[in-house]
Structure formats: C-alpha cells, structure tokens
Amino acid sequence: MPPRKLVRHLVWLESFTAAVEAGSIESAAEHLGVARSVVSEHIRALEMALAEGATLLERGPGRRLQLTARGERLFAGTQTPLHQLDMKRLRDLASAEPVVRLGLNPTLSISLLGKVARDAAATGLKLVLSFGGPHELTRQVQTRQLDLALDFTPLPPHEGVESESLLRMSFVVLAGPGNALASMASSRRTLHVKDLDGQPFVDWLRDDPYGGANSARFAAHGVKVAEVARVESFLLLYELLRAFSACAITPDLRPMHPFPPDMHAWPLKEDEPQAVEVVALWPSGALSPGASTVLDGLRQRV
C-alpha cells in the first residue's frame, strides 16, 4: 500500500512543527529528510495562508528559532489529531484577533449564550460556537478542538481536562399550563415525587442522567407517571409541557434564566436532596487569554 499523502496545509504544518521542536530550519530538514529550502518554503507558505504573511517563527538568542505570539497560538492549538485541523481552524489559531472556540450544552445556550456574547463583543473576541452533549464536548476539549466548554454534571471521565464548577442547582417540578398540579398544588411551597403519581410526564432521554434519576425516584416511592414524551434539553421541553399539559422534574435554571411565565415551578422535596452543577471545561494547562476572559465574565454573571 502506498504511503498516505497529506493534504498541502498539513505538509506545511509538519515542517513548521518540526522547526519548532528542533529549534532550527536545518535540524527540521534533517529530521524530515528534505532540503533546507523545502522547510523554509513550507513555513513561508503557512504564514501566507494563515497569517497574511506575518511571521510565525523568528530568530532568538543563539539564533535558535522561537515562536511569535501568533506562532505560539498556532503551535499550542495543533497538538491534536491531524484530520481535525482544517484551514479555518488553523486560520483562527494564527489570527491576530483573539478567537475562542466555545462548546455549549444546548440547554445552557438558552441561559448563558447572551451573557457570553455580550462579554465577547465588549472585549473584541471572535466566537466560534458549537453544541454537544457531555461526551462530545469533553472529547473536543481533550483533543483541543475547543478552548472552553460549558456543560452540566455528571461528566464522563476527563483526563487532560481542567474543570471548574460555576453554579450548583437543585431540582424542581415544572408544570405546563393546564396541568392538574397548577390548581391542586397552587398553595404548596414544595412538591414531593409522590405528588406526581398519575400525572402526564415529560422525561429526559434514557441515556441522559436526569432520566435515570427520575426512574430511580419513581421506583423508590412506588410512583407511576404517564410518560407522554422524552426530551434532550430545555430547547424541546417547554412546548411539550404546553401541548400535553404535562409536568417534568428539571434542574432549577432560575439563577441563570427565568422559566417562561406560563410555567409553574415548585422546589422538589427529597429525603436526600440531589443537585446538578454547571461546569466549565478547558484543556489542561491551556486556558487561552480569550477563554479566560469568557470564564471571568461567567464567574461574575452566574
């Protein structure tokens, strides 16, 4: 089988990385088995393609090559599988303007995206946004495809990832308009799982930890609900609660964002209260200045 041929920008990146690690064009050329001029041409091509001709490497003390500020961002961000490094990603890394690649849990986008976007706009940060579940977001942080991710606990194992809890939330019972709880329990301060017996119920998908927690709650108290739907996030929940006049057990998002005015909410009274946390994730030892700015804003606002 013939050797796999890299696409052009990855060939250029290979020469750039070799020069950084070897400390000189000559040593990089020797390592790659090519002429010195080839390595120089590749690095210059990378500078022209990604940085509008700005240098990524310069001579330092003892004529050893050292990274410029743009080169540092590019080199740090390219320590990831090659197939994930497209030209848009590389241009962001080598850009003169600060760029933050942010991953969001879809539910958190409702509550936090506006705050993040306003902070980014005020400080001149470019945002590149994506959505994902905990496994996808954690994997993308581990492979440095994301500078920062925001998700709920519980999280999958995350070696090579640093995390910080931003907010701890308890659970509530949420009921849509027309649900019997709205009149039956209108004067109640809290509700117990037993109060949901026989109610039309919207649960979370079974691979979602909240769905599993609800099943355990119902089993522990001999409660049977009439499940009418399952959802993945709050993006889908409210319309289903309205359509089915149903109820749900959810994290209490109100510290970040109010529930719609037609929703009724009661704190869930439990023998052993459970909680969920909003967590920020970033690659170990690689919290970029832009990501740090976003995270500082969230610490103040959440």
Side-chain angles (χ1 to χ4, degrees), residues 179-207:
N179 180 265
L181 292 174
S183 57
M184 289 169 46
S186 59
S187 61
R188 297 272 296 276
R189 286 192 170 186
T190 63
L191 291 183
H192 192 276
V193 172
K194 293 178 181 178
D195 295 315
L196 275 60
D197 194 45
Q199 291 293 325
F201 190 80
V202 178
D203 206 353
W204 305 93
L205 296 180
R206 290 306 181 193
D207 57 355

Side-chain angles (χ1 to χ4, degrees), residues 64-105:
R64 183 177 177 84
L65 289 176
Q66 63 183 25
L67 291 161
T68 64
R70 294 173 78 162
E72 283 183 6
R73 291 196 297 272
L74 177 63
F75 183 71
T78 55
Q79 308 308 296
T80 190
L82 286 179
H83 71 277
Q84 294 164 356
L85 296 174
D86 59 27
M87 285 296 285
K88 280 190 176 180
R89 170 62 169 153
L90 295 177
R91 286 194 185 99
D92 285 343
L93 291 169
S95 172
E97 62 178 344
V99 178
V100 177
R101 295 176 67 91
L102 175 66
L104 286 165
N105 171 290

Side-chain angles (χ1 to χ4, degrees), residues 137-138 141-142 144 146-151 155-166 279-288 295 299:
L137 291 177
T138 301
V141 171
Q142 286 174 321
R144 298 177 183 250
L146 293 174
D147 302 307
L148 187 67
L150 303 173
D151 205 353
L155 295 170
H158 48 278
E159 184 178 350
V161 174
E162 295 183 41
S163 62
E164 177 181 330
S165 176
L166 299 176
V279 180
L281 307 168
W282 63 91
S284 294
L287 184 63
S288 69
L295 187 55
R299 289 176 181 132

